[in-house]
Amino acid sequence: SDLAPGTAPSGTPPPGMVWIPAGEFAMGSDDPDAGADERPVHRVAVHGFWLDATEVTNCQVFELRYEND
């Protein structure tokens, strides 16, 4: 995304969606019990993205999926 950090795209947001701005975070673990694919802790940059405003559990997705078969 070419947006400045902290800014959302212009225009009308998609219905039921919220904008999550770009940012960085520390990903991973230095815990001795952490798996090899979890080490080392490293910085990750993420582009801004739209996210559904309503939380949906995996169970709800499963139920909906098989309810509509």
Side-chain angles (χ1 to χ4, degrees), residues 2-3 7 12 14 20 25-32 35 41-44 47 49 51-53 55-56 59 63 68:
D2 294 330
L3 296 171
T7 59
T12 305
I20 306 301
F25 66 97
M27 181 176 178
S29 175
D30 288 327
D31 187 306
V41 174
H42 57 285
R43 298 295 297 169
V44 176
H47 292 286
F49 59 95
L51 180 69
D52 202 49
E55 181 179 324
V56 179
C59 185
E63 288 172 355
N68 292 314

Side-chain angles (χ1 to χ4, degrees), residues 29-39:
S29 175
D30 288 327
D31 187 306
D33 294 327
D37 61 344
E38 298 176 80
R39 293 185 298 256

Side-chain angles (χ1 to χ4, degrees), residues 3-19:
L3 296 171
T7 59
S10 60
T12 305
M17 305 292 275
V18 294
W19 178 250

